[in-house]
Amino acid sequence: MTTTTRNNPGAAGAAPDPGAAPAEKTYWCELAWLNGTVEPHVALEVTAQGRLGAVRRDVEAPPPGATVLRGLTLPGLANAHSHAFHRALRSTVQVGSGTFWTWRDAMYQTASRLTPDTYYTLARAVYAEMALAGITCVGEFHYLHHAPGGARYDDPNAMSHALVAAAADAGIRITLLDTAYLAAGIGPKGRGEPPNRQQLRFSDGTAEAWAERAAAFRPEGGHVRVGAAVHSVRAVPARQLRTVAQWAEERGAPLHVHLSEQTAENEACESVHGMTPTALLAEHGVLSPRTVAVHATHLTDDDIRQVGRTGTGVCMCPTTERDLADGIGPAPALDRAGATLSLGSDSHAVIDLFEEARALELDERLASRTRGHWTAGQLLRAATEGGQAALGWPEASRLETGALADFTTVALDSVRTAGPVARLAAETAVFAATAADVRHTVVAGRHVVRDGAHTLVDSVPHALTGAISALRP
C-alpha cells in the first residue's frame, strides 16, 4: 500500500523541536505556584539544555533582560488523554440525540477520511490549540494506524510519524501511546469479534503483529516519548492482553487503557469472562504503577480496591464523559484508594484543562450534594504533576531546579479572573479561569505562546478551519 509522502515537517523552515537546546534566559513571574503555594516575584532561570537552572524567590523586580510573565505561572499542563482527530467532530455531533454508540458511528466516518498528510495538518492545529490552552505535553491514544480497509502504508508507522511531527511543529511534547485495537467486541468465549469495516484500519490482526510494528517505530526528537495502550477489553481479546503489557514493561513505558467507560462493556465482560474488566486486566498483568486507566466510570468497590492495590493511575475526562452521557466516575473513592489522578480532554468537546479540573470537583458535588472533595491545589496537581507522571515526563511536573522548563501563565486580570487577592490565585485559576485566560506557554524554555498568540502557527483558528473542512464529505 502506498501513501502520499507529506512534506517533512521536521525539515528546514519547520518549527523548532521543543526538545532541542534553547538559549539561556530568565523569566520573571509576578506569581508562581511552587510546591503547592503561590509565591510572588519568582525568577525562573532557564539553561541551554531547556531546564530550570535556578528558581529564585523574592526577586522584587525583573532582572535586566528577563521576560516578564504577568499572572500566575504554573508547571505546564498535561493533557493525559487525547484522540486528536476527534476535534473534527466538535459541534457536529451535538445535533439531535443519541448515545455513545451513535456518536461512535460519526467518529468512524471522520476517521475513514484521514491520511498521513491530513492527519498531520489536523493534529498540528489541534496541538497548537492545546498550547494556547497552557498544555505543554499531550498523551495521544493513537489507534488510527493503517489505510482504509486495513492495508499498511509503505511506512507502517506513517500515522504515528505524522502525529509526532505535528506536536513538534505546534511546539509541545507528546507521548505517543501506540494502541492495540484488534477486535470489534469480546465475542464468543472471549476470542474477539472480527473488526468491522471501519475498524480494519485500527487493527494489526494480533497483539504480536501490533508489538512488531510498534517496536519498529523509532521517532526522533527530544519532545517525544513512546508508550503503549490497550484500547479496551472489548478491543483486545483476553489472551492477548499480556503481550501488550509485557511490551510496555520491557521498555519501562507508560501503558494506558480505556476502562469501564460504558456499562455495556462491563456486562459483556462479566457475561463471557465471569468478572469485571478491572479484574480481567489485573488477571492478565495489565494493572501496575506504570498503568493509567482512562475513565474508570463504572467500577465496583472491589474494582476500586484493585486499582488502588496495584498502584494504577486514573485519567478522568469529565467534559467528554458528560458530553457522551457516560456518567460520573468514582474519582473520590479512587483517590482515597491510592490512585494518582490525571486529566484529559479526550474527544475535545472542549480543550481546557481548567474546565476538566473544576468539572472533577463540580460533577462530584452534583452527584454527592456535598462540596469540597478536592482543594484547588489538588486539582492543579492532577492537571500538572499527575498528568506529566502518567505520560512518562515526571521531570516536567514542578517548577524546581533541574526540572524541564515547561510552564504556563494564567492572566489574573481578565473579566473572569479579576478581583480575588493574590493568595487565592490557585483557586481563581481552577474555579474561574478558562483556556482563554492563558497568556504564555513555555516549553523547554521557548516561548510557544506569547501574550495569548501562538508563535509557531500564524492563525490557529484558520489552521483548524482548513484542516477540518478538508475532511468533510
Side-chain angles (χ1 to χ4, degrees):
M1 177 71 188
T2 59
T3 181
T4 304
T5 302
R6 111 184 112 73
N7 293 329
N8 182 4
D17 176 353
E24 295 181 6
K25 60 173 65 176
T26 298
Y27 291 90
W28 183 84
C29 308
E30 183 179 29
L31 297 170
W33 195 60
L34 304 181
N35 297 322
T37 62
V38 176
E39 301 283 350
H41 308 149
V42 174
L44 303 176
E45 296 180 359
V46 179
T47 70
Q49 289 72 43
R51 292 181 176 264
L52 293 175
V55 177
R56 296 191 288 124
R57 295 173 169 84
D58 300 321
V59 181
E60 293 299 324
T67 299
V68 175
L69 304 178
R70 297 286 180 189
L72 174 65
T73 297
L74 306 164
L77 305 179
N79 190 348
H81 190 65
S82 164
H83 303 289
F85 75 92
H86 290 190
R87 174 62 178 83
L89 299 171
R90 187 182 294 180
S91 297
T92 63
V93 290
Q94 303 300 346
V95 178
S97 61
T99 66
F100 168 88
W101 308 103
T102 55
W103 171 90
R104 190 177 72 160
D105 290 339
M107 179 269 287
Y108 284 158
Q109 292 302 312
T110 298
S112 70
R113 301 184 188 106
L114 285 162
T115 67
D117 293 337
T118 58
Y119 205 4
Y120 162 77
T121 302
L122 175 61
R124 174 177 174 266
V126 174
Y127 295 155
E129 181 182 357
M130 290 186 191
L132 288 171
I135 294 163
T136 60
C137 185
V138 60
E140 186 60 39
F141 198 101
H142 171 53
Y143 54 81
L144 193 55
H145 301 305
H146 308 301
R152 292 195 171 199
Y153 292 109
D154 288 344
D155 174 0
N157 289 300
M159 295 295 250
S160 299
H161 283 295
L163 290 164
V164 168
D169 290 358
I172 69 172
R173 302 185 193 274
I174 184 171
T175 297
L176 195 292
L177 298 162
D178 197 302
T179 303
Y181 192 135
L182 308 174
I186 292 176
K189 299 183 180 181
R191 295 174 180 168
E193 298 174 0
N196 63 32
R197 179 175 54 84
Q198 295 96 333
Q199 294 166 338
L200 286 171
R201 67 183 312 192
F202 307 161
S203 178
D204 289 293
T206 66
E208 289 73 19
W210 166 85
E212 182 180 1
R213 180 190 51 74
F217 179 53
R218 306 282 178 82
E220 296 182 356
H223 73 297
V224 56
R225 290 177 182 173
V226 178
V230 170
H231 180 274
S232 59
V233 298
R234 289 183 289 109
V236 179
R239 67 181 185 277
Q240 301 194 55
L241 290 170
R242 194 171 296 276
T243 298
V244 184
Q246 288 178 341
W247 189 97
E249 182 179 2
E250 290 167 1
R251 292 160 176 77
L255 174 63
H256 289 215
V257 55
H258 289 138
L259 175 62
S260 292
E261 182 178 5
Q262 289 287 317
T263 54
E265 174 183 308
N266 287 10
E267 292 162 1
C269 188
E270 290 169 358
S271 173
V272 172
H273 295 291
M275 63 183 73
T276 66
T278 300
L280 186 69
L281 293 174
E283 184 175 89
H284 291 275
V286 176
L287 303 185
S288 76
R290 193 172 40 258
T291 305
V292 174
V294 182
H295 302 302
T297 307
H298 304 285
L299 302 187
T300 67
D301 290 344
D302 284 343
D303 290 340
I304 293 168
R305 286 190 286 270
Q306 183 79 275
V307 169
R309 279 197 300 267
T310 55
T312 299
V314 175
C315 178
M316 310 300 290
C317 306
T319 65
T320 291
E321 289 150 9
R322 71 190 183 197
D323 181 60
L324 298 181
D326 288 342
I328 300 171
L334 286 161
D335 192 12
R336 289 191 297 270
T340 299
L341 299 182
S342 55
L343 299 168
S345 62
D346 192 1
S347 68
H348 311 314
V350 296
I351 294 177
D352 187 337
L353 265 287
F354 300 111
E355 175 63 19
E356 302 293 346
R358 70 171 153 267
L360 192 64
E361 168 69 23
L362 298 183
D363 288 358
E364 187 58 34
R365 290 183 187 183
L366 286 173
S368 66
R369 292 183 287 177
T370 60
R371 306 175 79 231
H373 302 276
W374 294 277
T375 66
Q378 288 170 322
L379 294 169
L380 281 178
R381 284 194 183 93
T384 57
E385 188 173 342
Q388 300 287 2
L391 298 179
W393 297 88
E395 68 273 45
S397 295
R398 299 189 180 192
L399 300 179
E400 60 187 18
T401 301
L404 292 172
D406 296 1
F407 42 90
T408 187
T409 303
V410 184
L412 297 176
D413 58 358
S414 76
V415 294
R416 290 165 294 277
T417 61
V421 296
R423 66 181 174 81
L424 296 177
E427 286 76 10
T428 302
V430 171
F431 290 104
T434 73
D437 295 309
V438 170
R439 290 292 173 266
H440 304 279
T441 301
V442 173
V443 182
R446 287 197 180 87
H447 231 133
V448 176
V449 174
R450 185 192 299 268
D451 296 321
H454 205 289
T455 63
L456 305 177
V457 179
D458 289 339
S459 171
V460 178
H462 179 77
L464 285 164
T465 298
I468 294 168
S469 297
L471 298 178
R472 293 192 182 115

